[in-house]
Amino acid sequence: MSETLPPDSGDSAPRGDFEFISELCSVVAEQAELQPILDWIVHKTTRLLSTEECSIKLITASSEVARTIMFDNRRGGLEAGTSTWSPIVKTMVMGYLMSQPGELATPDLPADARFPALKSQQTPIRALLALPLKVDGRITGMISVSNASPGRVWSKQDVQMLGIIASHSASVVEKARLRVEAEEKRRLELERDAMEKELRLARDIQMQLVPAAPLAFGAWQVEGQLIPAKLVGGDFFDYFRLDDARVAVIVADVSGKGIPAALLVSTVQSAVRAFADGVMLPHVLIDRVNRAVVRSAAAGKFVTVFYAEIDHVRGSITYVNGGHNHPRLRRADGTLEPLVAGGLPLGLFEGMPYEQSEAAFGAGDSLLIYSDGISEAMDSFQQEYDETRLDEIWRACGGLSPAESIARITQDVLAFRGAAAQSDDMTTVVVAPARAGA
């Protein structure tokens, strides 16, 4: 059933049309933002049509009804009537305007035969007049006026007045909306550029902290590789001589991403270099580094670390494992021994005890230290590479140089991961005899 509009009474020219157009031009000239323009339109429309509520709903590519602006004379404030439009009422009215030409005028929306689905709906949208907002023949939204009580019969003059408001408002609102979207897009681009700049800076900091070349000592050689993830994390490794017989090796993984993680990495590396004098015992050194991390790290930040001193003269490795993945000591006969002694990650609280342990490191032995970016690398099915697979490939690296071992492990991880994106930094450090490929 369609609603028949009553005949006009009095002058056919709608009252207030020139006033509306003139004031709209002034508002547009003064306002660059969308919201104040919408606010003014709904205020003005309720007064011109003597209704309780006015609503503007806009359509965007991301959401059918992206914005609802209401002015409710019953409550006297913007947004006061937002909840009056239930999803089904909004969908039915917008759907009607998009599929039927002209206006939607009804003295009682729930009782209107055109909307049987609304018959049982309890809604304060009863008497309703709605028109689409069109720009170049394309519907960009709708404007409506309504009363909570049924019975208002909308005149042709009412329809003409709302039509004038809709026709002059549509292009103004659309231009303002597009301007807001362009500004938002620009803001997001600037934020993305700033984030990328931060990540590049963090990556530069991160890569400057790791050794650029292998280090030979006695019959062994140590070499490392760090492959940063797109979102830079806090992996790092370092190795350096303590004296003619000993070399210090450290691998750490700082929680978090970006510059804060990179700066905490720098703190850890600087502290290790400062305390590793060849005299201080490893567990004391890690305790000192832990204190430095606790005092400099933001709340919730922590560092897993493996620190070792390898003495090629005595044939020993003395180490502390602070919550890090267990390195694999591979004996000359292929047997693997995890190095687990230590304690919790650094940065949780001061005074945490750390256990120091020692293991033999003789002819033909090799050591693999890695971060969780290796063992927890995931394929497209969210399956982890895991330490069992890592142990298998590490056993197969017997007789290879550090560089060859790192290349073999990396190749196996990348093959397992396939097309899946790298989600974390991948760090691998190998200490092995320098005979093959040296």
Side-chain angles (χ1 to χ4, degrees), residues 100-417:
Q100 303 293 328
E103 74 282 349
L104 168 58
T106 177
D108 191 1
L109 182 63
D112 196 313
R114 292 171 292 182
F115 306 102
L118 301 181
K119 187 174 182 180
S120 60
Q121 287 289 313
Q122 297 295 320
T123 174
I125 306 298
R126 302 298 296 270
L128 174 71
L129 175 61
L131 278 167
L133 298 173
K134 291 185 178 181
V135 177
D136 298 328
R138 176 174 56 89
I139 295 179
T140 60
M142 79 169 187
I143 183 169
S144 66
V145 289
S146 61
N147 290 331
S149 300
R152 175 163 176 171
V153 178
W154 306 98
S155 68
K156 290 184 179 179
Q157 189 178 64
D158 293 333
V159 175
Q160 189 176 2
M161 183 72 253
L162 190 61
I164 291 172
I165 293 172
S167 62
H168 287 85
S169 300
S171 60
V172 168
V173 169
E174 181 68 0
K175 288 177 182 178
R177 184 186 67 80
L178 293 175
R179 184 168 57 248
V180 168
E181 287 187 356
E183 290 172 355
E184 177 67 10
K185 181 180 179 181
R186 177 59 178 162
R187 184 187 66 81
L188 293 175
E189 288 175 350
L190 291 174
E191 287 183 357
R192 184 176 65 250
D193 291 345
M195 180 177 294
E196 290 178 354
K197 183 178 180 180
E198 176 181 326
L199 292 176
R200 286 194 299 270
L201 177 58
R203 183 171 298 177
D204 290 343
I205 294 173
Q206 185 181 29
M207 298 309 294
Q208 288 170 5
L209 295 176
V210 302
L215 174 65
F217 62 104
W220 283 271
Q221 188 179 65
V222 57
E223 189 165 353
Q225 174 183 267
L226 168 56
I227 304 177
K230 185 177 180 180
L231 290 176
V232 178
D235 279 18
F236 94 100
F237 68 89
D238 196 9
Y239 43 77
F240 51 90
R241 295 183 186 276
L242 294 171
D243 52 38
D244 292 340
R246 292 179 298 163
V247 166
V249 181
I250 181 171
V251 173
D253 185 358
V254 176
S255 64
K257 308 289 183 184
I259 286 182
L263 293 177
L264 188 52
V265 162
S266 180
T267 298
V268 174
Q269 195 246 21
S270 299
V272 170
R273 286 272 186 166
F275 296 134
D277 56 4
V279 176
M280 186 178 295
L281 293 173
H283 73 93
V284 178
L285 182 149
I286 293 301
D287 176 68
R288 297 282 183 87
V289 175
N290 177 54
R291 293 175 187 272
V293 172
V294 169
R295 295 170 184 177
S296 62
K301 296 289 184 182
F302 61 89
V303 185
T304 68
V305 61
F306 178 82
Y307 174 79
E309 294 181 359
I310 303 174
D311 190 327
H312 70 90
V313 174
R314 290 181 59 240
S316 65
I317 175 170
T318 307
Y319 71 91
V320 177
N321 190 332
H324 197 74
N325 302 84
H326 299 158
R328 267 40 176 184
L329 178 57
R330 188 185 64 223
R331 296 303 183 186
D333 63 1
T335 304
L336 300 187
E337 296 180 14
L339 304 183
V340 301
L344 296 175
L346 281 61
L348 300 178
F349 53 84
E350 292 189 36
M352 194 183 323
Y354 288 96
E355 178 187 355
Q356 175 179 306
S357 187
E358 183 174 312
F361 195 70
D365 292 346
S366 300
L367 177 65
L368 168 65
I369 317 170
Y370 60 95
S371 68
D372 56 10
I374 296 290
S375 58
E376 296 178 8
M378 287 190 176
D379 64 12
S380 299
F381 301 99
Q382 299 297 301
Q383 301 296 314
E384 287 189 358
Y385 182 79
D386 72 41
E387 293 178 342
T388 300
R389 187 183 297 267
L390 181 60
D391 287 346
E392 292 175 359
I393 194 68
W394 177 228
R395 285 192 188 95
C397 289
L400 299 182
S401 69
E404 292 169 334
S405 297
I406 291 171
R408 177 76 67 86
I409 293 168
T410 302
Q411 182 181 16
D412 196 61
V413 172
L414 295 179
F416 171 83
R417 202 178 73 209

